[in-house]
Amino acid sequence: MDFTPLKEFMDHLTAWRIPGNSIRVSIEDKEVFTYQSGYADIETKEPMTTRHLLNLYSCSKPTTVTAALQLYEQGKIKLDDPLYAYIPEFRQMHLADGSVAKNPITLRHLFTMTSGLTYNTRTKAFDKARKLTDGKMDTLTVIRCIAEDPLSFEPGTKWQYSLSHDVLAAVVEVVCGEKFRDYVKHNIFDPLGMENCVYHNEAFQNQMASIYRFVDGVEGTLVDKQSGASSREGGFVQKEGKQCAHVFGPEYDSGGSGITASVAEYSKFCDALANGGKGILKPETIDLMRTNQIENVDKSRFTWKQLEHYGYGLGVRTLLEVPNDGNGNIGEFGWGGAAGASLWIDPDLKLSVCYAHHMLNPQEDYYQPRVRNVVYGCLK
C-alpha cells in the first residue's frame, strides 16, 4: 500500500479552498495512514493536528442509528413499531395540505428518512419549545413539540432529509430513561475508548478547530478583506465560530448533528463498524444497516451529486454499484456532515476511513468521491 497519492490529495484540498483537514485510514482495526494538512485556524496559522476537535454535524447520525439498533438487538424496539408507541404526540399527524396522514410514522421511517418530517427549525413548534423550556430545549420537549408541525408527505412514500434522527434519539431516551448523550457515552463511546467525544462542546473550546464558511465568487468582490475573511480560489472563507447550528439549546442532544470529536477518536467508531461491531453491534445488524431501504419510495430528493450510485439504508448511504469513473466496493457505507466530516466503512475489506475539515458549504460533491477513489487506489 502506498498512501502518497492520498497525502498529495489532502494537500491539494488545503491549497485549493479547504482551511485544514484530517484523515485516518484503518484496515483490520489497525491504523495504516493518518495525516493532517492546513490550519485549524487560518488567522493564527495554527496547524491542524490530531488533537483538534471538530463539529461532525450529520456524521453524528450513524452513531444515533447504532444506539437505536442496540435497542433493536435487545428486543426493546422493532423497526415497524409506530412512533406514537414511544412518543404519543405523534399518534395523529397532519400533512401540509391540512389532511390527516393515513399511516403512522414508524421507527423504520425515522431510520430511513421517509417519515415526512423536515429540517425546518423556524416553526411555531420550535418557538413553543423555547418558551416551555426557558431556552434550555431539552430533547424530549423539543421533539414532542415538533409533532405539531405538518408532515411534507404521507409517511413511507418519499425520501427527504430531515430531523428524523433527532426524533430517533428521543426514542432512545424514552426507552432507556436517560439522556441520549449519557446513553451513547455508556454504550458506544466508553466501550470503544472514544475520549473527548461529546454532545456539548462548551468545555472543549480551546481544543477545537475554528469553523469557516466558504463563500463562492470572484476574489475581492464578495467580502471586505477588513472583515477577517481569508481569500481562496474563487471566493473567501469566513470564520463562523465553533458552535454547531443544530444544537438548539444547552439541554438538546442532537441525534442528527450533535457530536464534537477528533478524527482520531471518531475513527474508533468507524473501526468497530468495519470489524464486525466489536461488541457494540452484531455483524448481521451492520449488514442490515447497509442494506438499501429506499428501492420502492420516491427518491426525487435523493439527488446530491456525491450520492450517485448509492442507495440509503438505516441512516447511511450504501454503494449499490461501482461508478464507471470511480472505484470502491458494493456495500461500502457511511455518511457526511455539513462542515466536511465524512465516513467510509467497508466491512468486506475491514476498511474504515474517517475524514474531516471544518468548513460550511463543504464542497462534498467534489471531495467525497475523490477521497473514496484515492483511498481505494492506494490499497492496490
Side-chain angles (χ1 to χ4, degrees), residues 94-109:
H94 289 80
L95 304 182
D97 63 6
S99 63
V100 176
K102 298 177 182 177
N103 300 308
I105 299 172
T106 67
L107 301 191
R108 187 187 300 272
H109 296 151

Side-chain angles (χ1 to χ4, degrees), residues 213-235:
R213 179 182 300 275
F214 182 78
V215 183
D216 285 303
V218 178
E219 183 175 335
T221 63
L222 290 176
V223 182
D224 183 345
K225 291 186 178 181
Q226 292 181 359
S227 70
S230 178
S231 174
R232 281 289 193 268
E233 178 190 343

Side-chain angles (χ1 to χ4, degrees), residues 100-355:
V100 176
K102 298 177 182 177
N103 300 308
I105 299 172
T106 67
L107 301 191
R108 187 187 300 272
H109 296 151
L110 298 179
F111 277 101
T112 60
M113 293 289 177
T114 59
S115 64
L117 295 166
T118 74
Y119 243 127
N120 183 7
T121 62
R122 298 180 178 181
T123 68
K124 292 181 179 179
F126 276 88
D127 292 339
K128 179 179 178 179
R130 289 186 188 93
K131 292 178 182 178
L132 287 174
T133 64
D134 292 325
K136 295 178 180 179
M137 300 291 276
D138 67 274
T139 306
L140 271 177
T141 299
V142 174
I143 298 308
R144 286 169 174 151
C145 289
I146 286 174
E148 299 179 10
D149 285 334
L151 302 177
S152 292
F153 50 81
E154 187 70 32
T157 61
K158 299 180 181 181
W159 188 93
Q160 176 172 273
Y161 210 39
S162 71
L163 289 162
S164 288
H165 292 170
D166 288 58
V167 178
L168 196 59
V171 171
V172 173
E173 285 202 0
V174 169
V175 173
C176 298
E178 62 180 328
K179 290 183 179 294
F180 181 68
R181 73 185 89 167
D182 294 332
Y183 178 87
V184 171
K185 183 178 189 302
H186 299 153
N187 293 278
I188 298 176
F189 291 167
D190 287 350
L192 295 177
M194 297 169 65
E195 300 177 357
N196 290 347
C197 293
V198 297
Y199 278 88
H200 294 273
N201 60 30
E202 292 80 8
F204 296 86
Q205 294 292 297
N206 63 342
Q207 295 176 244
M208 292 188 65
S210 297
I211 193 167
Y212 293 86
R213 179 182 300 275
F214 182 78
V215 183
D216 285 303
V218 178
E219 183 175 335
T221 63
L222 290 176
V223 182
D224 183 345
K225 291 186 178 181
Q226 292 181 359
S227 70
S230 178
S231 174
R232 281 289 193 268
E233 178 190 343
F236 285 85
V237 287
Q238 298 174 274
K239 187 175 284 189
E240 294 284 330
K242 296 182 178 180
Q243 295 302 318
C244 172
H246 284 278
V247 177
F248 305 121
E251 294 298 322
Y252 188 78
D253 300 343
S254 173
S257 299
I259 296 176
T260 298
S262 69
V263 165
E265 292 301 303
Y266 206 61
S267 291
K268 296 176 183 179
F269 170 69
C270 302
D271 291 349
L273 296 184
N275 290 273
K278 295 178 67 176
I280 64 167
L281 278 185
K282 293 180 173 63
E284 297 82 0
T285 308
I286 295 170
D287 286 341
L288 175 63
M289 182 192 295
R290 63 180 178 139
T291 298
N292 185 33
Q293 300 282 324
I294 61 169
E295 183 176 356
N296 298 316
V297 305
D298 182 339
K299 295 179 283 293
S300 59
R301 297 178 185 180
F302 192 74
T303 56
W304 292 320
K305 190 174 182 180
Q306 68 271 17
L307 296 182
E308 289 179 345
H309 309 289
Y310 284 91
Y312 194 79
L314 299 178
V316 293
R317 65 168 193 272
T318 183
L319 190 64
L320 301 181
E321 59 180 1
V322 178
N324 292 330
D325 63 344
N327 55 24
N329 276 342
I330 292 174
E332 168 263 299
F333 70 98
W335 199 241
S342 288
L343 314 177
W344 291 264
I345 300 161
D346 186 338
D348 297 339
L349 293 181
K350 297 185 177 180
L351 165 72
S352 73
V353 182
C354 185
Y355 167 93

Side-chain angles (χ1 to χ4, degrees), residues 8-22:
E8 292 174 346
F9 186 70
M10 295 280 286
D11 290 339
H12 158 71
L13 289 174
T14 53
W16 174 54
R17 59 179 56 166
I18 305 301
N21 54 24
S22 180

